[in-house]
Amino acid sequence: MPHAPSGEVNVDRRTFVADTIGVAAGVAVGPREGIGIPEAVGTAHLLELREGLRSLYTLDNAYGGGDVRSLAVRHLRRVRRIINTSDYPDTVGRQLQLLVGETAEHCAWLYYDADEQDTARRYWTDATEPSIG
């Protein structure tokens, strides 16, 4: 790694992005049997999952969507897995569905910006599905 001028830090983007989102995802929800899925989801879990999405936006703005796409897709899968395998009240379920839509929308924009239109359209469809039901 080349020497950075005084006052500047030279950071490997991919390592930084992976480490940052890994930490955010790791604290997002408490583990269930070591697989990272909570048995009962509450407001605290929602806040942590929303913070994960906010972190993706921050990373996208700082480093570009190319480095963030796979992380956004993983975050979307995680929220869906929580919806499908956890217990939660209806109010939390509605918030989780909104989070799926928002995360899928972010994925759609990331793929759109990468000129991967078919994949972007698929995520746009995913983003609108929770609001239909």
Side-chain angles (χ1 to χ4, degrees):
M1 194 177 295
H3 177 66
S6 178
E8 293 182 23
V9 177
N10 193 353
V11 176
D12 176 23
R13 262 185 356 167
R14 291 183 190 275
T15 302
F16 175 77
V17 170
D19 289 349
T20 301
I21 200 66
V23 169
V27 299
V29 286
R32 179 204 285 176
E33 309 288 322
I35 59 171
I37 306 295
E39 287 189 35
V41 178
T43 304
H45 297 106
L46 281 170
L47 293 173
E48 295 292 340
L49 290 167
R50 286 211 167 277
E51 178 61 23
L53 179 59
R54 189 201 60 76
S55 295
L56 289 169
Y57 279 111
T58 301
L59 291 170
D60 179 17
N61 290 334
Y63 300 104
D67 291 333
V68 179
R69 274 186 311 213
S70 65
L71 300 172
V73 169
R74 280 193 281 178
H75 189 68
L76 178 59
R77 286 183 189 142
R78 180 177 185 82
V79 177
R80 284 182 176 152
R81 198 169 44 243
I82 289 169
I83 288 172
N84 292 328
T85 62
S86 299
D87 295 320
Y88 43 82
D90 288 342
T91 54
V92 170
R94 285 189 293 273
Q95 291 299 311
L96 287 169
Q97 290 295 331
L98 287 171
L99 186 58
V100 164
E102 292 169 15
T103 306
E105 178 185 16
H106 187 59
C107 290
W109 278 115
L110 292 169
Y111 280 93
Y112 176 83
D113 289 345
D115 202 28
E116 294 185 32
Q117 305 309 314
D118 290 337
T119 305
R121 263 191 289 287
R122 183 173 54 102
Y123 282 110
W124 279 114
T125 300
D126 290 350
T128 60
E129 283 181 359
S131 63
I132 294 171

